[in-house]
Amino acid sequence: MKSFEFANPQSETEALELMNDHPEQTAVLAGGTDLISLLQADIIRPERVVDIKNISSMHDVAEVDDGLMVGALTTLEEVLDNSKLAEYASVAQAADAVHAIQIQSSGTIAGDLCHLPNCWYYRNGYGMLGLENGTSLPETGDNRYHAIFGNSGPAKFVTASRFAPALIAWGAKVRIIGPGPDEAEMLPLEYFYTTPRTERQGTTVLKPGQLVSHIWLPKTAGAVSGNYDVLQTEGLDWPLASASATLKISGGRVSDARIVLGHVAPTPWVSHDAATSLLGKTISEATAQAAGDAAVSRATPLSDNGYKVQLARTAVKRAILRSAGLLEGGL
Ligand SMILES: Cc1cc2nc3c(=O)[nH]c(=O)nc-3n(C[C@H](O)[C@H](O)[C@H](O)COP(=O)(O)OP(=O)(O)OC[C@H]3O[C@@H](n4cnc5c(N)ncnc54)[C@H](O)[C@@H]3O)c2cc1C
């Protein structure tokens, strides 16, 4: 591991100052459950690591007029324990599905949102696009865990975030601060993620010297939600495919729907096809199945991952049934 300076700011302003001395060479450390591995493997080689854990303003979950402001440093365990978040069932289900109390107690919600890809080519030093002598390894090699949507460009990895589908389905926004000391913006989480076309581009819109300070969730306004992960094992693992649904149901029929898939594309994948197929319908096995079919109708699997199409279809169907309380096995 390359040596680096370690900075321990106590406020958002101090963090931004420390990040903007040399913004291109700074890494943000939250719970460290992933960043430490990336540093140890020399995948990331910053000059300075800015540990944001002691910034108290980023730990709170606070009610605001139009919803909830969740601090970026809220841990997965705190997501599960916080009564204000209990109404957002899909968000709690995403936290619960990480089957390790160590990760739940240290990992943070924004660390999950900014988690870099688990793609084995990336983790073995071939870069985000997995190139060797200009050849795409995910295209020519083993791509069984790679993208089945949004994969026509050079990026074939899948987004690692567990929370992004649930939060996007709820219409969440992220508060991004920096690079200037007074700069802050609220951005719909849906637009936070990017698909890189070159190694220099990242997986989010964050520019050097910026970080996520909070996540805003709108009031639930009676909407219901559900999350469903398809996992290879019961243990500590990322889903092969996941889906999250947030539904408004009036008079027994769906009046609004948001369906978002995870782990199937380089970014969380919003399925307008699935959402549209539900409008005006009652939720049943058949309508949930039709939404699952609609969600995967435009999938473009690679050579080894056709099986993920069925997994994604099932994840969508079960997330919808779960949101309506029609799937056994709640939290
Ligand atoms: C052994 C192991 C097993 C795991 N298993 C699972 C699993 O089964 N399922 C699952 O979903 N997850 C799993 N995880 C991942 C874990 O849930 C996430 O890594 C965790 O939520 C990340 O949070 P963190 O605070 O530790 O992030 P860190 O490791 O501190 O950071 C992760 C990334 O996010 C960036 N970052 C962190 N906070 C911010 C911020 N506020 N603004 C901008 N950038 C930021 C960092 O620079 C880094 O690039 C596992 C991790 C490990 C180490």
Side-chain angles (χ1 to χ4, degrees):
M1 174 164 48
K2 177 178 164 287
S3 60
F4 50 79
E5 283 177 21
F6 184 77
N8 185 16
Q10 307 294 309
S11 69
E12 294 180 18
T13 312
E14 202 187 337
L16 292 178
E17 275 167 19
L18 286 159
M19 289 174 66
N20 282 291
D21 278 1
H22 32 232
E24 300 278 352
Q25 273 116 31
T26 304
V28 174
L29 175 74
T33 59
D34 192 48
L35 188 77
I36 302 290
S37 321
L38 291 166
L39 293 171
Q40 283 171 335
D42 266 343
I43 308 280
I44 291 186
R45 296 169 55 81
E47 296 290 328
R48 178 180 289 171
V49 170
V50 178
D51 180 355
I52 57 174
K53 270 197 301 295
N54 290 319
I55 303 179
S56 55
S57 62
M58 287 166 54
H59 279 276
D60 288 346
V61 177
E63 278 171 30
V64 288
D65 281 350
D66 48 358
L68 275 188
M69 279 298 250
V70 180
L73 294 168
T74 305
T75 64
L76 277 54
E77 187 177 35
E78 288 163 350
V79 168
L80 281 169
D81 290 347
N82 194 301
S83 58
K84 294 180 193 131
L85 282 162
E87 276 182 72
Y88 303 86
S90 56
V91 179
Q93 287 160 7
D96 186 59
V98 177
H99 295 133
I101 51 174
Q102 299 93 324
I103 302 294
Q104 287 177 336
S105 66
S106 313
T108 64
I109 191 162
D112 169 85
L113 293 180
C114 299
H115 195 289
L116 287 162
N118 290 319
C119 167
W120 48 30
Y121 299 111
Y122 174 60
R123 298 278 164 167
N124 281 294
Y126 292 99
M128 201 82 80
L129 306 179
L131 297 177
E132 188 179 46
N133 302 322
T135 300
S136 165
L137 295 174
E139 198 159 328
T140 55
D142 190 335
N143 52 40
R144 76 184 97 155
Y145 299 130
H146 287 75
I148 57 168
F149 292 99
N151 53 8
S152 59
K156 314 285 184 202
F157 60 82
V158 296
T159 166
S161 175
R162 201 86 183 228
F163 284 100
L167 293 170
I168 292 172
W170 273 109
K173 295 182 181 178
V174 275
R175 178 172 181 262
I176 298 174
I177 58 171
D182 301 320
E183 282 182 73
E185 68 168 309
M186 296 295 297
L187 180 76
L189 183 60
E190 182 177 349
Y191 304 126
F192 180 66
Y193 293 96
T194 55
T195 302
R197 297 199 65 83
T198 67
E199 281 299 336
R200 281 190 62 76
Q201 293 170 344
T203 54
T204 69
V205 299
L206 285 181
K207 296 194 282 275
Q210 289 188 315
L211 59 86
V212 173
S213 71
H214 292 83
I215 295 116
W216 171 83
L217 275 163
K219 286 191 169 153
T220 56
V224 292
S225 66
N227 203 67
Y228 195 88
D229 294 338
V230 182
L231 288 150
Q232 197 158 16
T233 69
E234 279 289 306
L236 189 55
D237 204 358
W238 275 268
L240 294 166
S242 71
S244 209
T246 298
L247 309 176
K248 281 196 180 142
I249 299 177
S250 340
R253 293 183 184 277
V254 176
S255 58
D256 195 14
R258 300 258 301 164
I259 311 290
V260 187
L261 289 85
H263 312 274
V264 292
T267 63
W269 197 255
V270 178
S271 177
H272 299 290
D273 292 333
T276 306
S277 83
L278 290 175
L279 294 180
K281 308 267 173 52
T282 53
I283 298 299
S284 66
E285 181 98 14
T287 53
Q289 176 72 49
D293 291 341
V296 297
S297 59
R298 298 174 209 244
T300 53
L302 302 168
S303 55
D304 301 327
N305 67 4
Y307 74 98
K308 284 186 68 166
V309 175
Q310 176 60 21
L311 302 189
R313 177 190 280 120
T314 302
V316 168
K317 175 185 172 183
R318 293 188 183 173
I320 292 166
L321 291 173
R322 195 173 194 188
S323 64
L326 298 174
L327 190 73
E328 297 212 352
L331 243 190

